[in-house]
Amino acid sequence: MYTRRTALTALGLGTAALLAACSSKSSESSATASASAPEPSASASATASVSPTAEATTTIEPGPSMKGEVVLADYSSTGTFEPGTKEHKAVNVAIPVEPAKLRENSVEGLHAFIAYWQATLNYLLLTGDGARFTNIDHTGDYSTVAEFFQSMYASETGWVIGSERPMVLSLTADRPTKDTRTGYYTWATEMVIDGAEGAGVYSKTNDRVQPLTEVFKYPGKPVAGQIVAHYQDGTWRMVRRAPGTASASPVPSLSPSASAEGSASAEATTASAEASAQ
């Protein structure tokens, strides 16, 4: 049974799965991943079944380079940002604003989608408000992670401190490749987790801070991966996250887990998170 305590106990696993799923190096083909990716409707399932194959033709559409760090252009600010501390959560976290090209069927639209996706994920990590992220992340791959942070913030038992951008995503190719048979785009990425001194997750329950790099099991260097997406029903949809190379074992708990109940809950949530990440 999922509880707030379970979320904190299994936080290390859940966020490790996030790092792995979001930007880990994969040797699998787009065919395998795209065919197995969950889709939200019957039409989406039909599209996914026509997944890329090794023989599929791929092209790179001409246009300016978009290589580099992904940054959302527009935010709604309510004041000067103050990072979280042991005394309080982050204050005046800027709210991501949907880019004008977010739902445009173009490479520029895909870039806008990736930027907004990353921004809403960081907003979730800093505030516990996952409404924008879950609205844009159609696959639901990160529902467990979203629940972890939403529960942690709602119960006021923990929050992210010392960071304004916990996750930074970069595109390592000038343009994405496109499978001309299916319309699937693939874009190489790298992810970095904020390793600054003091950046971490604070547990109010036992008054300790766990560095973000430990929570996310970050190896200390950019983690290579790729995003596969396609345009459907007037919006972009990510259909694949590269499987992880990061360890799936839990990191030290952010809440007490010595009791049999806590251990059982952690094991149950571990199995659930592993299933979600696959």
Side-chain angles (χ1 to χ4, degrees), residues 186-226:
T186 302
W187 213 327
T189 65
E190 282 186 347
M191 183 174 19
V192 174
I193 299 299
D194 189 350
E197 184 176 357
V201 176
Y202 171 63
S203 169
K204 185 177 179 180
T205 305
N206 48 24
D207 192 28
R208 58 170 294 210
V209 176
Q210 188 169 357
L212 285 174
T213 51
E214 289 184 12
V215 172
F216 284 86
K217 292 189 176 294
Y218 181 62
K221 59 183 179 180
V223 180
Q226 59 185 12

Side-chain angles (χ1 to χ4, degrees), residues 13 53 175:
L13 173 68
T53 67
R175 308 278 289 183

Side-chain angles (χ1 to χ4, degrees), residues 68 75 101 107 116 134 168 178 188 219 263:
Y75 289 83
K101 295 187 176 183
V107 173
Y116 187 66
T134 53
V168 176
K178 180 182 181 181
S263 299

Side-chain angles (χ1 to χ4, degrees), residues 11-12 31 71 73 89 93-94 115 120 139 144 178 189 203 211 216 239 244 266 276 278:
L11 178 61
V71 179
K89 307 168 191 175
V93 180
T120 56
T139 66
T144 301
K178 180 182 181 181
T189 65
S203 169
F216 284 86
V239 296
S276 298
Q278 291 177 351

Side-chain angles (χ1 to χ4, degrees), residues 8-9 11-12 85-86 152 157-161 198-211 214-215 251-257:
L8 286 171
T9 301
L11 178 61
T85 68
K86 287 185 176 182
M152 181 176 69
T157 52
W159 50 82
V160 172
I161 69 172
V201 176
Y202 171 63
S203 169
K204 185 177 179 180
T205 305
N206 48 24
D207 192 28
R208 58 170 294 210
V209 176
Q210 188 169 357
E214 289 184 12
V215 172
V251 296
S253 171
L254 291 177
S255 67
S257 60

